[in-house]
């Protein structure tokens, strides 16, 4: 009888300890929140003021614009760029070699870090949001928005850090690393340019059905018009002009007006 009592007592205290340990492990540190519902993931995607994250999903890098006619340097501005910002001038004049500055102190390449921050954040969201089943319609939309954010980050990365797309050799040309599971700390092996572009197109095309047609008051949230526009630019970079034309027209069917910068801004022009 005593043996039975001891066994019961040991079992009881073991159960209490296990229960306490489980409860302790389930308590979140103060100030920390783990996204569990679609509302949580909506907040995660909507933090756009940089108060929580080092780089916001509402931001985009301007380096790609340096390759367009939208940017102009005068001689004064041109001479302000030092050795560590030489790449800005290299982009502006279409030099084959952009990143020419190498030194032990040059370890923080902001555009690489920021875009891979977005890739890592989006990949983490996509791996976890499948657990948030309280609103399946919203879940699908959030997944679609996340795919657009990640695809655009890859489009910027592959165009800044890899050779231009060429159908003849894209499969054998090194692009940038594709990171699907950042939590596992994968090795940063450079995927081919073709694989990166294939991922971009696939992400955008799969996102379109679950996106609203146009942006609402929240301009940072992707919509069909956003995905169509990015696809048009992607196919333009790939030299597939028929597809670029197709998706550009789809975007213009939703939103097709021009800004009059004479009325938007009338102050002093500040060059890049």
């Amino acid at each position: 009888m005593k043996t039975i009592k001891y066994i019961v007592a040991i079992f009881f205290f073991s159960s209490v300890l296990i229960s306490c340990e489980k409860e302790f492990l389930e308590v979140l540190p103060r100030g920390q929140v783990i996204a569990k519902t679609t509302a949580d993931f909506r907040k995660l995607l909507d933090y756009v003021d940089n108060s929580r994250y080092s780089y916001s999903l509402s931001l985009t890098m301007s380096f790609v614009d340096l390759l367009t006619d939208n940017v102009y340097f005068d001689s004064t501005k041109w001479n302000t760029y030092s050795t560590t910002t030489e790449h800005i001038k290299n982009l502006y004049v279409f030099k084959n070699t952009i990143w020419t500055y190498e030194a032990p102190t040059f370890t923080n390449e902001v555009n690489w870090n920021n875009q891979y921050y977005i890739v890592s954040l989006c990949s983490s969201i996509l791996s976890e949001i499948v657990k948030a089943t309280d609103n399946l319609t919203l879940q699908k939309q959030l997944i679609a928005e996340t795919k657009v954010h990640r695809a655009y980050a890859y489009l910027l990365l592959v165009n800044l850090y890899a050779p231009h797309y060429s159908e003849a050799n894209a499969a054998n040309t090194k692009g940038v690393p594709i990171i699907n599971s950042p939590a596992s700390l994968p090795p940063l092996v450079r995927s081919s340019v073709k694989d990166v572009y294939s991922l971009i197109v696939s992400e955008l095309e799969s996102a379109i059905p679950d996106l609203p047609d146009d942006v609402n008051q929240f301009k940072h949230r992707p919509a069909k018009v956003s995905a169509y526009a990015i696809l048009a630019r992607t196919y333009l970079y790939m030299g597939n002009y028929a597809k670029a034309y197709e998706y550009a027209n789809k975007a213009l069917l939703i939103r097709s007006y021009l800004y009059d910068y004479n009325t938007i801004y009338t102050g002093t022009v500040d060059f890049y």
Side-chain angles (χ1 to χ4, degrees), residues 162-267:
H164 188 69
Y165 186 94
S166 170
E167 186 62 36
N169 53 24
N172 300 314
T173 303
K174 289 184 178 180
V176 294
I178 293 176
I179 301 176
N180 294 315
S181 180
S184 63
L185 299 177
L188 296 181
V189 179
R190 293 174 66 184
S191 301
S192 71
V193 169
K194 189 175 185 66
D195 285 345
V196 177
Y197 269 88
S198 295
L199 174 65
I200 293 166
V201 171
S202 175
E203 293 272 82
L204 292 170
E205 289 183 341
S206 66
I208 287 170
D210 297 314
L211 292 169
D213 287 345
D214 202 355
V215 293
N216 50 25
Q217 70 269 29
F218 304 107
K219 303 301 182 185
H220 62 279
R221 294 182 182 176
K224 280 186 173 70
V225 65
S226 317
Y228 288 146
I230 299 172
L231 274 167
R233 174 172 285 195
T234 301
Y235 279 117
L236 179 66
Y237 291 166
M238 296 173 71
N240 190 333
Y241 303 118
K243 281 287 188 181
Y245 178 80
E246 174 189 341
Y247 281 107
N249 276 335
K250 286 184 177 181
L252 290 170
L253 285 173
I254 299 174
R255 180 177 286 248
S256 59
Y257 64 89
L258 296 174
Y259 288 104
D260 184 352
Y261 286 99
N262 293 311
T263 60
I264 293 175
Y265 182 72
T266 57

Side-chain angles (χ1 to χ4, degrees), residues 5-272:
K5 288 182 179 179
Y6 288 140
I7 292 173
V8 171
I10 291 171
F11 176 78
F12 173 76
F13 285 113
S14 298
S15 300
V16 170
L17 289 173
I18 292 171
S19 176
C20 290
E21 180 182 6
K22 182 179 179 183
E23 290 177 2
F24 173 77
L25 292 175
E26 289 178 348
V27 174
L28 296 176
R30 182 175 296 178
Q32 300 296 314
V33 176
I34 295 178
K36 294 182 179 180
T37 67
T38 50
D40 292 336
F41 284 101
R42 165 51 75 202
K43 292 177 181 177
L44 194 60
L45 285 165
D46 276 354
Y47 277 117
V48 297
D49 59 358
N50 284 356
S51 63
R52 180 177 292 264
Y53 306 120
S54 61
Y55 194 73
S56 167
L57 290 174
S58 68
L59 300 177
T60 183
M61 76 167 88
S62 58
F63 278 18
V64 172
D65 290 328
L66 288 170
L67 304 173
T68 71
D69 294 331
N70 298 326
V71 177
Y72 171 74
F73 286 171
D74 61 7
S75 58
T76 302
K77 190 68 175 181
W78 179 269
N79 292 326
T80 62
Y81 292 104
S82 62
T83 304
T84 55
T85 52
E86 188 76 19
H87 53 279
I88 294 177
K89 293 195 289 187
N90 293 341
L91 283 165
Y92 185 74
V93 296
F94 295 96
K95 281 192 175 181
N96 289 329
T97 302
I98 305 300
W99 311 98
T100 55
Y101 179 67
E102 295 181 5
T105 57
F106 190 59
T107 58
N108 184 25
E109 211 304 282
V110 63
N111 292 290
W112 176 278
N113 291 347
N114 288 343
Q115 297 311 309
Y116 269 112
Y117 172 82
I118 289 178
V119 167
S120 297
L121 176 61
C122 291
S123 296
S124 297
I125 290 173
L126 290 172
S127 66
E128 294 297 323
I129 198 172
V130 293
K131 302 174 185 176
T133 57
D134 57 291
N135 186 333
L136 295 180
T137 301
L138 180 57
Q139 182 201 59
K140 289 181 179 180
Q141 181 178 335
L142 296 177
I143 289 173
E145 290 181 18
T146 306
K147 287 181 175 180
V148 174
H149 283 304
R150 186 168 69 170
Y152 189 60
Y154 275 126
L155 183 64
L156 295 175
L157 285 165
V158 76
N159 276 280
L160 283 173
Y161 301 103
H164 188 69
Y165 186 94
S166 170
E167 186 62 36
N169 53 24
N172 300 314
T173 303
K174 289 184 178 180
V176 294
I178 293 176
I179 301 176
N180 294 315
S181 180
S184 63
L185 299 177
L188 296 181
V189 179
R190 293 174 66 184
S191 301
S192 71
V193 169
K194 189 175 185 66
D195 285 345
V196 177
Y197 269 88
S198 295
L199 174 65
I200 293 166
V201 171
S202 175
E203 293 272 82
L204 292 170
E205 289 183 341
S206 66
I208 287 170
D210 297 314
L211 292 169
D213 287 345
D214 202 355
V215 293
N216 50 25
Q217 70 269 29
F218 304 107
K219 303 301 182 185
H220 62 279
R221 294 182 182 176
K224 280 186 173 70
V225 65
S226 317
Y228 288 146
I230 299 172
L231 274 167
R233 174 172 285 195
T234 301
Y235 279 117
L236 179 66
Y237 291 166
M238 296 173 71
N240 190 333
Y241 303 118
K243 281 287 188 181
Y245 178 80
E246 174 189 341
Y247 281 107
N249 276 335
K250 286 184 177 181
L252 290 170
L253 285 173
I254 299 174
R255 180 177 286 248
S256 59
Y257 64 89
L258 296 174
Y259 288 104
D260 184 352
Y261 286 99
N262 293 311
T263 60
I264 293 175
Y265 182 72
T266 57
T268 304
V269 176
D270 183 15
F271 299 112
Y272 191 93

